[in-house]
Amino acid sequence: MAVVSTSMNSVIAARYQTGISSSGSPILRQKSLTGIKNTATDQDIYDVASVLFSLLQYPLVDVRRDNRFTLVNE
């Protein structure tokens, strides 16, 4: 039997720096934004994350896109 993959949606995982520890390492936090359409381009997702996180006082470190799929064994 073959497994059929159906694309659902994407999740944006954005990491940002909230400070520096006493040892000099960056203190990082992550925020996930769900319900992103799977048809959104990578550039669109990056642009939206950049604009949203520019509203914070903390710098954006990186943006990750996690695509979600439903797998069904047929």
Side-chain angles (χ1 to χ4, degrees), residues 3-6 69-73:
V3 173
V4 176
S5 173
T6 304
F69 297 87
T70 299
L71 303 176
V72 178
N73 192 14

Side-chain angles (χ1 to χ4, degrees), residues 17-57:
Q17 183 176 341
T18 60
I20 297 177
S21 70
S22 60
S23 64
S25 300
I27 300 171
L28 300 175
R29 299 286 184 255
Q30 179 174 302
K31 179 68 177 168
S32 296
L33 307 171
T34 61
I36 308 301
K37 291 184 179 183
N38 60 351
T39 56
T41 67
D42 292 339
Q43 185 67 54
D44 289 341
I45 287 176
Y46 185 84
D47 292 344
V48 167
S50 294
V51 169
L52 287 175
F53 282 87
S54 72
L55 300 173
L56 297 176
Q57 63 186 10

